[in-house]
Amino acid sequence: MSETSGTDSAASTTATPASAPVAKKVPFERTHHGHTFVDDYEWLREKESPEVIAHLEAENAWTSAQTVHLEGLQNSIFTEIKTRIKETDMSVPNRRGSYWYFSRTKAGLDYGISVRIPVSGPDDWTPPEVGEEPLSGEEVIFDSNVAAEGEEFFSLGTFSLSDDGRWLLYGVDTTGDERYTLRLRDLATGDDLADTVDGTFAGASLDPSGRFVFYTTVDDAWRPEKVWRHVVGTDSSDDVCIFHEPDERFFVGSGFSRSGRMMFVVTGSKTTTGYWSISVDDLEAEPQEIWPRVDGVEYNVEHAVIGGEDRFLITHNRNRADFELVDVPAADPTATGRPVLDDIDDLRIEDVDAFADFIVLSYRRGGFARVGIIRLGDSSSPFGPLQELPFGRETGSLYVGNNPEFVQTSIRLHFTSMSTPAVIYSHSVADGTDTVLKRQPVLGSVDLDAYTETLLWAKAEDGTDIPISVVFRKDLHRSDGYGGPASANEGVGDGGDATNGSPASAKVEPAPLLLYGYGSYEASMDPYFSVSRLSLLDRGVVFAIAHVRGGGEMGRHWYDQGKTTAKKNTFTDFIDVARHLIDTGWTSPDRLVASGGSAGGLLMGAIANMAPELFAGISAEVPFVDALTSILMPELPLTVIEWEEWGDPLHDPQVYEYMRSYSPYENVTEAAYPQILAVTSLNDTRVLYVEPAKWVARLREVGANALLKTEMVAGHGGASGRYDAWKEIAFEYAWILDVLGRSDVEIEP
């Protein structure tokens, strides 16, 4: 599919509605713990109802009419994104077995093309230089553009290869509901086998030998509950369930270790983990539990070989909230573990990757994602010291990249920051040297030196310091020019002026600012570079991320202080960040837009009710704004497992009252709301479209200027093709710029 503009021509042929849709009221009573809530818009939950579809389409028509004046700006932003992104591009090859695997994208095509070439020999660890033309011996193993032909939505899920490169297991979703059809391809012939499994969850895998497929299915609430074993070449009706998790709090999944010697079955709730192992020597054996599952204990297992012995490296929080790392014998995993690290006081340990001669630790320190290497010795002295890989700068995020081989001499790493395009490089473990393999290309007339970033700190109402990542154009934010604090770069990371973020001159004009937040599930919103964001920065908009509690940026306590009956800290933190940015001169209420999606959409709905006067606009993507209703319905996807995140209002009256006090839909009042844009997807199974549909109907009832845009063929992540995704971004950015009063600014792409 080729796209050349940022808007759909179909909108111009639709009659312009004279007024906003008014959803009818059908009172529906919901009673819990002696409290009755009358929900006038619950009827919108009937997804198959023609009346509901007609209402959503009417909302789309109204949104199109209200934003028709922005079509030119949408086209401009779409063109900027398209011009700045290298459409014909390729990934850095990764070695797996006897092949280098990588992907290509081509101008005019929505999806990637997976290809490979043979390695030159067993010692070939230098990835080939890939250009726009095919390499000698290059073989296409999967073209998503071909697979997506005739489909309005396409998502490639599982992509699992056998060790010898003969077999490919892949999963396809063509509706957006995140349910995949699994197929097997013989890469020697390019033909698919008759093996087909419908309705699977994400994350299926092919065993290293290519004999078995392991996949997961869901229950009636769409919770992954069973792991199945399929013998390649047989009918799926003969598949065997090897594991069933009956507890509704837990998701289940499976996968193979990097070593290729162990398969793991994993169960996880929000606070508790269970692991079972099966040796690849006998994949038809029963899974063996590694540690007894204990409520409140989370752990992660990686297989390693140390001193010639099979060991399990276990990251766990049995004794330390920010986790510790031990190793135990694989043959007796309940034996007393050896600590891998002695000094972990300031680390939030997140993950460990085992290789033949070293292990790689991913952790957080000082709010940033870090990576360190521990060399392996013999059984008497198994672990060397942690060698942290430095940034060479004060802000940024370092991650472990794709490293599929167990025996390798270097590791693939990724670095990015708010003003630094992503860099992929190889770090030699032997000598510590780094080789840059690729820098994220940014095309057009972009001068990357024009952008800078800083770290600010806001004081929450309870005295907690909340970090704020900020990026902007230097030439648009200075004391003698337009919009922004002259001291924005002073004291970065040293507790100086950046801590307060005070402007150097009281004459500085407040800047238009987009403030993003999430704050749930211990997810860290690390600073990252975005090509599309340049369209905002170049129009004078400052972009900031509020690292509020409920996320994981500052450690496990940061999460604990923003969940269940401490959830309101997430909302008040965001409001305090907004006030800080206003009070210190960065922006003003008429130049401030807030943005967040999914659980971050709950944040958006809450701050709209709690502090509407602080914002000119709020953009909410797939927003979780009818939280209490959803969490009271255990039959819905994800609900029961969510009780450990939000609390259980169905059985606990205190939790019910607490959630009732902040749930956005129930707390809409007669207030002067900022402009609001809600974007959702009809087939979203994580946050159902009905939540923003009800929210907008209620907001409009009290006179708010609220728009609803529903993608009628998409899921939680929005449109699937990259060009449609860029169009979605262009639409939302155009709306934001219009609210900020910057829609008339013209820039060079």
Side-chain angles (χ1 to χ4, degrees):
M1 180 189 300
S2 177
E3 296 289 347
T4 57
S5 82
T7 58
D8 287 322
S9 59
S12 62
T13 63
T14 303
T16 302
S19 61
V22 176
K24 70 178 183 180
K25 292 186 176 182
V26 181
F28 174 82
E29 291 189 356
R30 185 193 71 209
T31 300
H32 293 278
H33 309 298
H35 172 260
T36 297
F37 174 65
V38 179
D39 190 342
D40 290 329
Y41 303 113
E42 178 64 12
W43 66 272
L44 287 168
R45 190 175 300 277
E46 296 296 327
K47 179 180 175 182
E48 305 302 322
S49 166
E51 188 175 13
V52 170
I53 298 300
H55 176 77
L56 297 177
E57 290 174 340
E59 288 282 10
N60 281 347
W62 176 246
T63 297
S64 294
Q66 294 302 107
T67 57
V68 67
H69 65 291
L70 299 175
E71 286 186 353
L73 179 58
Q74 292 173 47
N75 284 329
S76 295
I77 296 173
F78 177 84
T79 299
E80 291 159 19
I81 296 171
K82 188 170 179 287
T83 301
R84 289 167 170 168
I85 291 177
K86 190 174 182 181
E87 294 182 78
T88 298
D89 201 2
M90 59 293 302
S91 66
V92 178
N94 266 292
R95 178 170 167 175
R96 168 85 192 277
S98 300
Y99 294 92
W100 290 102
Y101 292 89
F102 56 103
S103 63
R104 293 184 178 276
T105 58
K106 294 184 178 180
L109 297 179
D110 269 309
Y111 305 102
I113 303 168
S114 297
V115 298
R116 69 182 182 185
I117 61 170
V119 300
S120 62
D123 297 325
D124 178 14
W125 290 102
T126 303
E129 294 186 12
V130 182
E132 293 188 4
E133 296 300 319
L135 300 177
S136 175
E138 184 173 308
E139 171 191 3
V140 174
I141 59 174
F142 194 86
D143 187 340
S144 291
N145 300 283
V146 174
E149 286 181 0
E151 304 290 351
E152 292 184 87
F153 181 92
F154 176 84
S155 176
L156 180 64
T158 294
F159 196 84
S160 178
L161 293 150
S162 60
D163 274 358
D164 61 6
R166 171 69 184 273
W167 305 104
L168 167 66
L169 174 71
Y170 68 95
V172 169
D173 168 20
T174 57
T175 65
D177 65 359
E178 300 181 63
R179 299 298 173 264
Y180 297 87
T181 296
L182 292 178
R183 294 186 176 89
L184 274 162
R185 178 162 296 182
D186 183 347
L187 296 180
T189 64
D191 297 327
D192 285 348
L193 303 186
D195 303 52
T196 301
V197 185
D198 293 319
T200 69
F201 195 67
S205 56
L206 187 63
D207 94 87
S209 71
R211 182 185 173 193
F212 298 109
V213 169
F214 293 89
Y215 63 91
T216 307
T217 57
V218 300
D219 62 13
D220 291 340
W222 290 33
R223 174 187 66 94
E225 61 159 352
K226 293 179 179 178
V227 177
W228 298 79
R229 183 180 65 240
H230 170 81
V231 178
V232 173
T234 67
D235 191 273
S236 61
S237 62
D238 296 326
D239 293 352
V240 176
C241 177
I242 67 164
F243 190 93
H244 175 222
E245 175 54 73
D247 192 327
E248 293 180 310
R249 297 176 300 159
F250 290 84
F251 278 21
V252 64
S254 66
F256 288 88
S257 65
R258 177 180 289 103
S259 66
R261 294 168 63 166
M262 291 286 174
M263 176 186 162
F264 295 120
V265 174
V266 187
T267 66
S269 73
K270 299 299 181 185
T271 63
T272 306
T273 311
Y275 261 82
W276 287 256
S277 66
I278 308 175
S279 170
V280 295
D281 294 334
D282 184 8
L283 286 173
E284 294 179 286
E286 291 292 321
Q288 299 298 307
E289 190 172 34
I290 295 177
W291 277 4
R293 197 165 71 186
V294 177
D295 280 350
V297 174
E298 300 170 65
Y299 70 101
N300 180 63
V301 181
E302 176 80 329
H303 174 253
V305 180
I306 303 174
E309 180 187 5
D310 285 328
R311 308 285 294 189
F312 287 147
L313 297 172
I314 302 180
T315 306
H316 69 92
N317 66 345
R318 274 181 171 177
N319 310 305
R320 182 174 182 266
D322 280 334
F323 291 75
E324 57 188 308
L325 178 62
V326 299
D327 94 306
V328 298
D332 184 16
T334 59
T336 301
R338 301 182 298 196
V340 175
L341 293 170
D342 294 324
D343 184 10
I344 55 176
D345 286 346
D346 61 344
L347 307 184
R348 164 56 168 103
I349 299 173
E350 294 190 323
D351 200 9
V352 62
D353 290 278
F355 299 87
D357 300 316
F358 55 90
I359 61 178
V360 179
L361 194 69
S362 297
Y363 54 95
R364 309 193 72 81
R365 185 169 61 80
F368 294 107
R370 308 274 183 167
V371 174
I373 294 176
I374 301 170
R375 300 196 187 204
L376 296 178
D378 55 28
S379 57
S380 62
S381 181
F383 307 113
L386 176 66
Q387 300 172 328
E388 181 169 289
L389 304 183
F391 288 174
R393 59 185 300 158
E394 291 167 309
T395 59
S397 301
L398 185 65
Y399 306 101
V400 178
N402 188 12
N403 297 277
E405 288 289 280
F406 187 62
V407 179
Q408 55 186 65
T409 58
S410 62
I411 57 169
R412 190 74 54 86
L413 299 168
H414 291 193
F415 176 81
T416 187
S417 77
M418 299 277 272
S419 62
T420 309
V423 181
I424 303 173
Y425 64 94
S426 176
H427 176 82
S428 171
V429 176
D431 59 22
T433 58
D434 296 325
T435 302
V436 174
L437 302 176
K438 184 174 182 175
R439 298 182 186 274
Q440 180 183 359
V442 183
L443 308 182
S445 57
V446 175
D447 176 11
L448 292 173
D449 291 333
Y451 310 95
T452 190
E453 61 193 293
T454 188
L455 181 65
L456 308 178
W457 296 86
K459 188 73 70 176
E461 62 181 12
D462 64 358
T464 302
D465 290 322
I466 311 299
I468 317 163
S469 296
V470 184
V471 64
F472 55 93
R473 274 189 68 115
K474 291 181 283 189
D475 58 336
L476 297 179
H477 297 275
R478 54 182 193 263
S479 59
D480 59 344
Y482 169 76
S487 66
N489 279 324
E490 298 176 10
V492 177
D494 62 5
D497 290 342
T499 299
N500 296 319
S502 300
S505 169
K507 297 179 181 179
V508 174
E509 184 181 3
L513 190 147
L514 177 62
L515 180 61
Y516 173 82
Y518 187 76
S520 292
Y521 303 112
E522 204 179 357
S524 298
M525 299 296 106
D526 290 322
Y528 68 97
F529 183 84
S530 166
V531 171
S532 60
R533 190 191 297 143
L534 299 179
S535 293
L536 297 176
L537 304 184
D538 289 348
R539 289 175 171 84
V541 177
V542 175
F543 179 81
I545 301 174
H547 301 287
V548 295
R549 282 175 284 184
E553 289 89 341
M554 305 298 290
R556 174 50 65 95
H557 77 284
W558 206 247
Y559 173 48
D560 289 339
Q561 292 177 19
K563 61 183 290 193
T564 58
T565 52
K567 187 62 202 170
K568 288 183 184 178
N569 283 335
T570 303
F571 316 139
T572 55
D573 283 358
F574 192 90
I575 291 169
D576 289 334
V577 166
R579 287 201 173 104
H580 175 82
L581 293 170
I582 292 167
D583 293 345
T584 54
W586 278 90
T587 190
S588 57
D590 62 330
R591 294 187 172 198
L592 178 58
V593 169
S595 174
S598 195
L602 167 66
L603 170 60
M604 294 300 102
I607 59 113
N609 292 330
M610 296 169 68
E613 73 281 359
L614 294 182
F615 306 96
I618 292 176
S619 174
E621 294 80 38
V622 291
F624 184 43
V625 284
D626 191 16
L628 182 53
T629 301
S630 293
I631 298 301
L632 284 167
M633 301 174 69
E635 68 273 16
L636 289 181
L638 308 182
T639 290
V640 174
I641 195 172
E642 295 289 308
W643 286 344
E644 291 180 342
E645 177 76 17
W646 312 101
D648 177 5
L650 185 62
H651 302 102
D652 188 330
Q654 291 183 327
V655 171
Y656 177 86
E657 288 301 322
Y658 188 78
M659 289 194 71
R660 187 166 76 88
S661 71
Y662 71 72
S663 187
Y665 176 59
E666 294 195 353
N667 286 280
V668 171
T669 60
E670 300 283 346
Y673 281 94
Q675 297 184 60
I676 291 175
L677 172 66
V679 178
T680 187
S681 297
L682 184 64
N683 294 327
D684 191 344
T685 58
R686 301 192 197 186
V687 179
L688 303 185
Y689 73 91
V690 67
E691 297 201 26
K694 290 168 60 175
W695 183 50
V696 167
R698 176 70 182 122
L699 284 166
R700 195 169 290 141
E701 185 183 346
V702 299
N705 181 357
L707 299 178
L708 175 67
K709 184 175 185 287
T710 304
E711 296 293 336
M712 303 304 285
V713 184
H716 193 66
S720 59
R722 59 175 175 164
Y723 293 100
D724 283 342
W726 297 345
K727 286 167 61 179
E728 285 187 357
I729 293 171
F731 173 83
E732 292 173 41
Y733 278 7
W735 182 87
I736 289 168
L737 288 165
D738 192 42
V739 173
L740 290 172
R742 305 297 292 169
S743 60
D744 58 347
V745 178
E746 297 182 2
I747 64 172
E748 289 292 326

